[in-house]
Amino acid sequence: CALYNRLTQQKNVVCTYSGYGLPPEFAENVKADGNICYEEIFNSRECVVAIEDLTLTPYVATDPNIKKYKFKSYLGHAVSIGGKVWGSLCVLDTKRRNFSEIDIQIITGLSKALSLEEERGRVRKALKTRLEWEKMLVDISARAISIDDIQSFLDGCLARMGQTLDMDGLFVWEYDHESDSMSNISEWVAQGYPAYKDQLQNMPAGAFPWAMKLLHNNQMISFSDIEDIPDGEEKKIMRMIGIKSILMIPLFVNEALFGVLGFEVYTYNRKWADEDVNVLQTVSQIVTKSIETHMAEKSLEEANQRLEQRVKKRTKDIEQKQKELERLNKMLMETNRALSALASYMDRNKKETERHIARSINTRLMPIVKRLSLIHI
């Protein structure tokens, strides 16, 4: 039979990606340790391996397929991409074979052709991935232009990233400076995995001294294997969730720690490539700028509301004072009319008094004066 094997991302399982003439119930996924392709090609980095009698090797006991089907001979060649062993092309026979130079040349040529095809496939895949990532960045940037609700924005961004970046989980934790605590404010997990957002609220930051020190210093936390993380509450929580690989990028808003954007892998130990990190850092910058802009807009809106309330209050005060002034003007006018009427009355009364006095003088006083004058004469 002929096989094309690859080492899975977990790097502890060899997978038969394609095969010809495979016997019934052939194990297509086997443990790497003890597998002939892994030990002779993946592990030792040999280009071509020819074993004419497998009964003289330990693989008759360690490789389940060789043991089960009693293969006697093996010819394999590495399939490489960019100088790195990617897979192995091999033939197995239940008979002892004396592989000729032509056999070796044939498998070498086929392996190189397969390497070229894999290289082209990887380039196509990388271009497709890059395009998907760029579309994701454009989409997130478009969402960031106008944010009505920050929670919906964060949830939407995490879902968009999770669907594009081949992650098992993403989260945003917010740091509360007043209470010195961390809370999970947004979470996305792939289908089939549990959510832990409700259980990760108001966590005392003092319980994570190692992680918080890095975050406050604006340093990423990147581990392909969480078991390399120093023992502490951080590792306990990650083990509880089932995380194998973690990448956490601090989020700073207005030059103060806002929280952290995290990426999780549950199924295998993922090596965080530089291009992955660059894209994730770009996303984190978009998120922080969006939060910063949203907070500024919210503050401006609140300031406008306060100003409007002050203007309304001032307008109301002015209206009340205007009404009071109108009332006083009305009272003053009424008073003026009353005073005018009183003055007119007093003037009439004065003239009447004068006429009365004059009549009294003429009718009473003057006759007496005349009589007194006659008496004197």
Side-chain angles (χ1 to χ4, degrees), residues 103-114:
D103 295 333
I104 294 175
Q105 289 176 1
I106 289 173
I107 198 167
T108 299
L110 291 174
S111 298
K112 289 182 179 180
L114 188 54

Side-chain angles (χ1 to χ4, degrees), residues 330-348:
K330 185 177 180 181
M331 290 178 62
L332 181 60
M333 292 175 66
E334 292 175 351
T335 301
N336 286 335
R337 284 195 294 270
L339 289 173
S340 296
L342 179 61
S344 178
Y345 170 78
M346 291 178 67
D347 185 58
R348 289 194 304 270

Side-chain angles (χ1 to χ4, degrees), residues 157-176:
C157 286
L158 293 191
R160 186 68 173 87
M161 286 188 286
Q163 295 162 3
T164 304
L165 300 175
D166 189 28
M167 302 287 179
D168 296 323
L170 297 94
F171 61 84
V172 174
W173 281 40
E174 183 179 7
Y175 175 62
D176 188 329

Side-chain angles (χ1 to χ4, degrees), residues 95-106:
K95 299 178 181 178
R96 292 186 179 88
R97 292 277 298 273
N98 183 12
F99 295 107
S100 66
E101 188 64 29
I102 293 177
D103 295 333
I104 294 175
Q105 289 176 1
I106 289 173

Side-chain angles (χ1 to χ4, degrees), residues 50-333:
I51 301 176
E52 298 176 357
D53 189 356
L54 290 172
T55 61
L56 302 178
T57 69
Y59 302 120
V60 292
T62 61
D63 190 310
N65 286 320
I66 291 177
K67 180 180 180 180
K68 181 176 181 179
Y69 300 105
K70 297 182 170 47
F71 289 114
K72 296 295 192 303
S73 56
Y74 172 90
L75 177 63
H77 194 286
V79 175
S80 302
I81 298 178
K84 182 179 179 181
V85 176
W86 180 266
S88 66
L89 182 64
C90 66
V91 292
L92 290 159
D93 202 334
T94 54
K95 299 178 181 178
R96 292 186 179 88
R97 292 277 298 273
N98 183 12
F99 295 107
S100 66
E101 188 64 29
I102 293 177
D103 295 333
I104 294 175
Q105 289 176 1
I106 289 173
I107 198 167
T108 299
L110 291 174
S111 298
K112 289 182 179 180
L114 188 54
S115 295
L116 290 174
E117 185 59 31
E118 286 283 17
E119 182 71 38
R120 282 195 290 267
R122 190 180 74 161
V123 170
R124 287 194 296 268
K125 183 178 180 181
L127 288 174
K128 182 179 179 181
T129 299
R130 190 68 182 178
L131 287 173
E132 290 176 350
W133 287 4
E134 289 179 357
K135 289 180 181 178
M136 176 197 71
L137 291 176
V138 170
D139 185 24
I140 293 176
S141 298
R143 294 170 184 260
I145 293 175
S146 179
I147 302 175
D148 295 327
D149 178 42
I150 193 67
Q151 186 65 55
S152 298
F153 169 72
L154 291 176
D155 292 343
C157 286
L158 293 191
R160 186 68 173 87
M161 286 188 286
Q163 295 162 3
T164 304
L165 300 175
D166 189 28
M167 302 287 179
D168 296 323
L170 297 94
F171 61 84
V172 174
W173 281 40
E174 183 179 7
Y175 175 62
D176 188 329
H177 290 262
E178 293 185 4
S179 63
D180 192 29
S181 63
M182 295 284 282
S183 295
N184 188 329
I185 61 172
S186 183
E187 181 183 52
W188 177 90
V189 291
Q191 188 174 2
Y193 294 104
Y196 289 92
K197 179 181 176 182
D198 294 340
Q199 302 178 38
L200 302 174
Q201 299 296 317
N202 302 314
M203 308 286 288
F208 318 109
W210 169 81
M212 291 304 299
K213 181 179 180 181
L214 293 176
L215 296 177
H216 276 294
N217 290 329
N218 199 14
Q219 297 181 14
M220 288 190 306
I221 297 174
S222 176
F223 285 91
S224 176
D225 187 349
I226 67 161
E227 296 305 321
D228 295 332
I229 295 176
D231 290 335
E233 196 65 26
E234 300 93 337
K235 183 184 287 188
K236 290 180 181 179
I237 293 177
M238 292 180 192
R239 283 174 173 169
M240 175 193 75
I241 297 175
I243 299 172
K244 291 187 178 295
S245 300
I246 188 80
L247 175 65
M248 299 170 66
I249 301 177
L251 303 176
F252 275 76
V253 175
N254 295 323
E255 299 182 355
L257 180 65
F258 173 83
V260 61
L261 174 62
F263 305 88
E264 305 165 336
V265 178
Y266 308 146
T267 53
Y268 65 97
N269 295 115
R270 176 169 178 166
K271 183 179 179 181
W272 303 102
D274 291 341
E275 59 182 3
D276 295 344
V277 175
N278 291 336
V279 170
L280 301 181
Q281 285 181 319
T282 300
V283 173
S284 69
Q285 291 170 3
I286 295 174
V287 170
T288 52
K289 289 299 181 183
S290 301
I291 295 174
E292 193 171 289
T293 301
H294 177 72
M295 292 175 66
E297 291 176 348
K298 187 176 180 181
S299 297
L300 180 60
E301 182 181 351
E302 292 175 350
N304 286 335
Q305 290 176 351
R306 290 194 297 269
L307 180 59
E308 288 178 0
Q309 291 175 354
R310 290 176 62 186
V311 170
K312 288 180 179 179
K313 185 176 183 302
R314 183 68 174 171
T315 302
K316 186 177 180 180
D317 291 342
I318 291 174
E319 290 176 349
Q320 290 177 346
K321 290 180 179 179
Q322 184 70 28
K323 290 180 179 179
E324 181 67 15
L325 182 60
E326 291 175 355
R327 187 182 68 82
L328 292 175
N329 285 336
K330 185 177 180 181
M331 290 178 62
L332 181 60
M333 292 175 66

